[in-house]
Amino acid sequence: MNSPTAPRPVQAPPAAASPPFRDTSQDFHQFLAAYREAFPDDVLHIREPVGANQDPTALVWALAAQGRHPALVFDRVDGLGAPLVTNLFASRERVGRMLGGVPPAGIHAEYQARSRRMVAPRVQDSGAVTARVQTHDIDLRGIPAIQHFASDRGPYITNAILIAEDPDTGIGNASYHRSMLHSPTEIATSLHSRGHLWRMLQRATELGRPLPVAMVIGAHPLFMLAGAARLPFGVDERHVAGGLFGAPLEVVRTPCHGILVPAHAEIVLEGVIDPHARVDEGPFGEFTGYSSDRSTNNLLRVQSVMRRADAWLVDVVGGNSAEHLNLGRIPRESEMVEKLRERFPGVTAVHYPSSGTHFHAYVALRQTRPGEARQVMLGLLGWDPYLKTVVAVDEDVDITRDEEVLWAMATHLQPHLDVVVIDGLPGSALDPSASGVGTTSRMGLDATRGPSFDGVRARIDGAAMERAAALLARLDRGGAHGP
């Protein structure tokens, strides 16, 4: 006789698509005005003064503890001299709205479809960011920044997208790099991801010259998503932004080096990264939830400042916040899901849980042959350089809920049979558990039932669940009272 398993946790119905959200501008101010009009309950407006030292971060954490992730608008932050907007990407429902109103489950496919329809930028003579252009007597102490964590070295620019262009081809690269004020004319930054910008800097070093860059601090959310894209070397994130917009990214040239930057950005700093200079940078609260001082300690010498007349600080919450994790994960998840489904059509869902920062992934699949779950896990572990652990489960497990995945592990997995470990692979430089040489081990956990599993999952009929939901609704309205 088959032994029953635990009753299946109540599943939420599939999320419906958000109402169509029309935003045809590339201007952050216009985006926010339109979004607040369409979804006023999803934007929390704080009018009373707050401090620039951890207060906005503390509010994000307090809201998250209640299961709330609204976008936050602060009118007055002490010493900032500009409104502060943060937590934009903390809600996947909100990200789906940015992408035209798709439900969270549809974000991967929509992001990939749009980002693949790349469109070259359109150069303009001017834009909102050219309202104030300064090339002399630069003083960066007026650039707004806040301190996110008590352990941070100081105020940090977390929404710093650095753009560089190949001097021969003009092909650009845009990527996020934590940054902080080093002097009135210099920014300390880290290229610890060792990505394409690092590669371009090494080439500049070989040629014996500094690398011209532009730092975009605040722009339309779709440009911010493009800045987090995972692309082959030589593919320009500004073209991806055009695909996400469905129209060319409107750009202007920076005054010193002619780098193409969003015409409607809030603030742009232009200058050169000195390949030989090293400066103190960090610690900073990273996506791992730990304060990290692992840094390449690079120095950006600023030569010009461009900014809107009414520039805001568009911030990204640091640490292992939902915003930081979503912004970094969504483009990478989208690529991984596409790769997996092309090779393994039995894959039904992929989810990177916030509890695992960037290091864990869950994959649900409908197995057609023994060993397929192991093959899928090895594919994910090989493709994604951040992943350390992948858990495979059956298609009826809701992988957006950690407790369901843990239940599947508890009832389906035999460690001596279902665990795969591979060591000596490159890992994230920010993983506090990684070796001093930057290598890590990776693990796959097969928590699918398998062909010889003996059990029938206990379930509750849909009609009974509907009756229970109706009863709870009546109780919530005060229609019935207990003793």
Side-chain angles (χ1 to χ4, degrees), residues 391-444:
V391 182
V393 298
D394 297 287
E395 62 178 312
D396 65 337
V397 175
D398 183 357
I399 59 174
T400 66
R401 300 175 62 181
D402 284 336
E403 62 267 31
E404 279 227 11
V405 176
L406 291 172
W407 170 80
M409 289 172 57
T411 57
H412 303 164
L413 182 143
Q414 283 293 316
H416 70 295
L417 298 175
D418 299 321
V419 177
V420 180
V421 177
I422 308 166
D423 63 10
L425 297 175
S428 168
L430 296 179
D431 179 1
S433 72
S435 69
V437 295
T439 59
T440 186
S441 58
R442 301 187 183 183
M443 178 171 62

Side-chain angles (χ1 to χ4, degrees), residues 249-292:
L249 176 67
E250 297 169 0
V251 294
V252 294
R253 297 189 183 277
T254 56
C256 297
H257 300 286
I259 299 170
L260 299 179
V261 298
H264 307 293
E266 301 298 308
I267 300 169
V268 174
L269 309 181
E270 178 195 25
V272 294
I273 297 180
D274 184 337
H276 303 294
R278 293 293 178 270
V279 294
D280 290 337
E281 187 278 319
F284 172 74
E286 276 290 355
F287 67 85
T288 59
Y290 283 93
S291 181
S292 173

Side-chain angles (χ1 to χ4, degrees), residues 162-166 170-174 197 200 211-214 238 259:
L162 284 173
I163 300 177
E165 296 177 348
D166 185 284
I171 293 174
N173 175 77
L197 183 61
M200 296 170 81
L211 178 67
V213 297
R238 293 169 299 187
I259 299 170

Side-chain angles (χ1 to χ4, degrees), residues 99-187:
L99 292 171
V102 298
I107 287 174
H108 295 149
E110 183 68 16
Y111 178 88
Q112 283 298 92
R114 289 185 178 220
S115 64
R116 291 295 174 86
R117 296 192 292 266
M118 290 186 278
V119 182
R122 180 170 59 231
V123 182
Q124 301 184 170
D125 293 332
S126 63
V129 77
T130 62
R132 296 178 180 172
V133 179
Q134 188 176 12
T135 57
H136 299 91
D137 302 320
I138 290 170
D139 188 344
L140 300 177
R141 288 173 292 187
I143 299 300
I146 64 172
Q147 181 158 346
H148 294 78
F149 302 98
S151 51
D152 288 354
R153 189 179 187 92
Y156 260 85
I157 303 169
T158 53
N159 188 10
I161 299 179
L162 284 173
I163 300 177
E165 296 177 348
D166 185 284
D168 300 318
T169 65
I171 293 174
N173 175 77
S175 50
Y176 284 89
H177 299 278
R178 71 190 199 200
S179 302
M180 61 174 290
L181 183 68
H182 178 69
S183 79
T185 59
E186 297 168 321
I187 295 288

Side-chain angles (χ1 to χ4, degrees), residues 14-21 35 39 91-114 117 222 225 244 330 334:
S18 297
F21 170 54
Y35 189 87
F39 306 102
S91 159
R92 291 207 174 209
E93 184 175 18
R94 192 157 53 248
V95 174
R97 291 165 178 168
M98 296 173 187
L99 292 171
V102 298
I107 287 174
H108 295 149
E110 183 68 16
Y111 178 88
Q112 283 298 92
R114 289 185 178 220
R117 296 192 292 266
L222 293 183
L225 270 177
L244 296 180
I330 285 172
S334 300

